[in-house]
């Protein structure tokens, strides 16, 4: 490490010599995924006549966990937001708010995760920003990323979903929430329930390689608010009920146990590597097969369907065929996790 101090200081945010050392440290650690030129704006080639853009901020608590850290989540969250719109993610920005007292070893760990995840997702970081605040003002560090993607196919939109469409889930729900809460509360589940944090764009590409574009109506990454929030958003948009088979929901046994102990519903839990796909039922089996052929989709399954029933409801059907209505979450059942 070639910085003059082992910890972030307020003077690293002044724009003077220490700021230059910090920026140089960030660029060197990110390595080949950083392609910016230290100008005030990045100049990017535009491939086609439409681009996708998204932005997100990350305030993960705890910022370091068993299957990643805030840096990995920042790349995955932005890449996945672009990919579920049908875009090919290409470029990210990286903004860091660093708290005085953060060690350079911790910062290097986060930046290494950013670099490695960006390489896996095949995206590049083109510009960024750093700010340093006083100790106690930023919970160690906060990140912001914006992303740009290009459309090589028609964009995916919620309005394309129609009655009869299958609802497919790419993997287990609730693991990210349970993993982080287990670390916070000392529940002992964190070694058995890992966060699902992952970049999903290459898995999405495998779906489009397996079925015609029109067979995939819409996608959404299942993050804050969990699967319940996604389903209620779509049901509300269409004014149609969505029915889910409870026994089809992929929930890890330990996740269900921990959720029961904590008094939370796995359907409301945040995830960081899970897709909900709305698709032509005739293509559902091929989509599931494509997902299961990827390491992040091994537990993919059809969980329900969009019905023609009027009303923006999400209906759960148990093994005996009994139906109940899943109520939308109105407040904060869970602390911040992403």
């Amino acid at each position: 490490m070639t910085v003059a101090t082992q910890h972030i200081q307020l003077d690293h945010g002044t724009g003077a010599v220490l700021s230059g050392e910090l920026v140089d440290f960030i660029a060197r650690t990110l390595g080949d995924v950083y392609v910016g030129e230290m100008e005030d704006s990045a100049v990017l080639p535009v491939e086609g006549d439409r681009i996708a853009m998204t932005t997100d901020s990350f305030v993960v608590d705890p910022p370091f966990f068993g299957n990643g850290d805030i840096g990995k989540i920042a790349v995955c969250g932005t890449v996945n937001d672009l990919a579920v719109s049908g875009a090919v993610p290409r470029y990210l920005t990286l903004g860091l708010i660093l708290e005085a007292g953060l060690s350079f070893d911790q910062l290097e760990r986060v930046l290494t995760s950013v670099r490695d995840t960006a390489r896996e997702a095949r995206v590049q970081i083109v510009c960024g920003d750093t700010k340093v605040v006083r100790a106690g003002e930023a919970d160690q560090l906060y990140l912001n990323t914006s992303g740009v993607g290009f459309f090589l196919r028609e964009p995916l939109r919620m309005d394309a979903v129609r009655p009869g469409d299958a609802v497919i889930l790419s993997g287990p729900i609730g693991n990210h929430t349970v993993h982080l809460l287990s670390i916070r509360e000392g529940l002992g589940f964190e070694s058995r329930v890992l966060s699902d944090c992952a970049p999903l764009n290459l898995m999405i590409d495998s779906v489009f390689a397996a079925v015609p574009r029109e067979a995939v109506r819409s996608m959404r990454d299942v993050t804050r608010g969990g699967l319940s929030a996604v389903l209620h958003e779509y049901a509300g948009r269409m004014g149609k009920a969505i029915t889910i088979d409870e026994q089809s929901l992929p929930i890890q046994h330990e996740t269900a146990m921990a959720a029961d102990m904590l008094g939370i519903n796995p359907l409301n839990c945040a995830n960081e590597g899970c897709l909900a796909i709305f698709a032509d039922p005739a293509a559902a089996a091929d989509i599931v097969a494509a997902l299961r052929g990827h390491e992040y989709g091994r537990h993919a399954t059809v969980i329900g369907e969009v019905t023609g029933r009027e009303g923006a409801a999400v209906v759960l059907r148990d093994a005996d065929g009994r139906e109940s209505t899943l109520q939308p979450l109105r407040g904060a059942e869970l602390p911040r996790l992403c």
Side-chain angles (χ1 to χ4, degrees):
M1 185 179 299
T2 57
V3 290
T5 177
Q6 297 298 307
H7 295 84
I8 298 294
Q9 301 175 3
L10 282 173
D11 285 346
H12 279 110
T14 62
V17 172
L18 285 182
S19 291
E21 289 186 4
L22 175 59
V23 172
D24 180 64
F25 175 82
I26 292 168
R28 283 187 290 105
T29 305
L30 292 175
D32 60 342
V33 303
Y34 174 68
V35 295
E37 297 178 347
M38 299 298 177
E39 301 283 358
D40 280 348
S41 297
V43 179
L44 308 177
V46 175
E47 303 172 21
D49 59 353
R50 288 180 295 185
I51 64 172
M53 284 197 69
T54 189
T55 189
D56 207 347
S57 297
F58 300 87
V59 292
V60 184
D61 181 20
F64 303 95
F65 49 91
N67 194 35
D69 53 47
I70 191 172
K72 183 178 181 180
I73 285 183
V75 175
C76 291
T78 302
V79 164
N80 294 345
D81 280 348
L82 292 170
V84 296
S85 72
V88 177
R90 287 291 174 81
Y91 304 117
L92 301 184
T93 68
L94 178 64
L96 302 102
I97 298 176
L98 309 175
E99 187 177 274
L102 177 73
S103 74
F104 271 89
D105 286 341
Q106 290 175 307
L107 178 58
E108 184 174 31
R109 178 177 169 184
V110 170
L111 293 171
T112 299
S113 289
V114 169
R115 180 194 67 207
D116 293 346
T117 310
R119 284 175 178 166
E120 179 182 353
R122 303 176 188 174
V123 296
Q124 294 179 311
I125 295 161
V126 295
C127 59
D129 181 54
T130 60
K131 293 291 186 292
V132 179
V133 298
R134 289 184 291 267
E137 293 184 345
D139 204 5
Q140 299 187 61
L141 75 168
Y142 298 149
L143 270 60
N144 173 274
T145 50
S146 295
V148 175
F150 299 98
F151 288 105
L152 305 181
R153 59 182 74 96
E154 282 298 306
L156 299 175
R157 287 310 202 221
M158 293 175 64
D159 291 339
V161 179
R162 62 196 71 171
D165 282 349
V167 183
I168 299 167
L169 204 59
S170 68
I173 56 173
N175 287 8
H176 178 72
T177 292
V178 165
H179 179 75
L180 266 64
L181 288 181
S182 184
I183 293 173
R184 288 190 201 178
E185 306 298 329
L187 301 179
F189 286 98
E190 61 268 22
S191 63
R192 290 175 287 169
V193 180
L194 293 176
S195 168
D196 63 345
C197 183
L200 303 178
N201 54 316
L202 300 185
M203 183 175 74
I204 290 172
D205 288 344
S206 72
V207 170
F208 285 113
V211 300
R213 156 64 186 84
E214 60 271 14
V216 180
R217 317 290 197 210
S218 185
M219 292 186 189
R220 188 61 52 90
D221 55 333
V222 186
T223 54
R224 282 180 298 175
L227 180 61
S228 174
V230 171
L231 296 175
H232 279 102
E233 183 177 5
Y234 276 80
R237 182 69 166 260
M238 295 180 295
K240 303 290 184 184
I242 297 175
T243 298
I244 301 299
D245 293 313
E246 285 186 287
Q247 66 271 24
S248 298
L249 290 170
I251 302 174
Q252 188 176 329
H253 176 66
E254 292 87 351
T255 300
M257 289 176 56
D260 186 60
M261 288 176 57
L262 293 163
I264 59 177
N265 186 341
L267 276 79
N268 291 328
C269 289
N271 310 274
E272 288 294 340
C274 183
L275 293 176
I277 302 176
F278 297 80
D280 182 341
D286 290 336
I287 292 173
V288 169
L291 292 169
R292 289 181 178 176
H294 194 279
E295 62 175 319
Y296 300 137
R298 291 192 300 268
H299 302 287
T301 187
V302 176
I303 61 169
E305 66 175 354
V306 179
T307 74
R309 193 184 314 175
E310 296 296 328
V314 177
V315 178
L316 300 178
R317 184 167 52 219
D318 67 17
D320 297 320
R322 293 188 295 264
E323 294 186 345
S324 60
T325 301
L326 177 66
Q327 297 300 323
L329 186 64
R330 297 193 178 279
E333 181 183 55
L334 298 162
R336 64 177 171 88
L337 296 162
C338 53

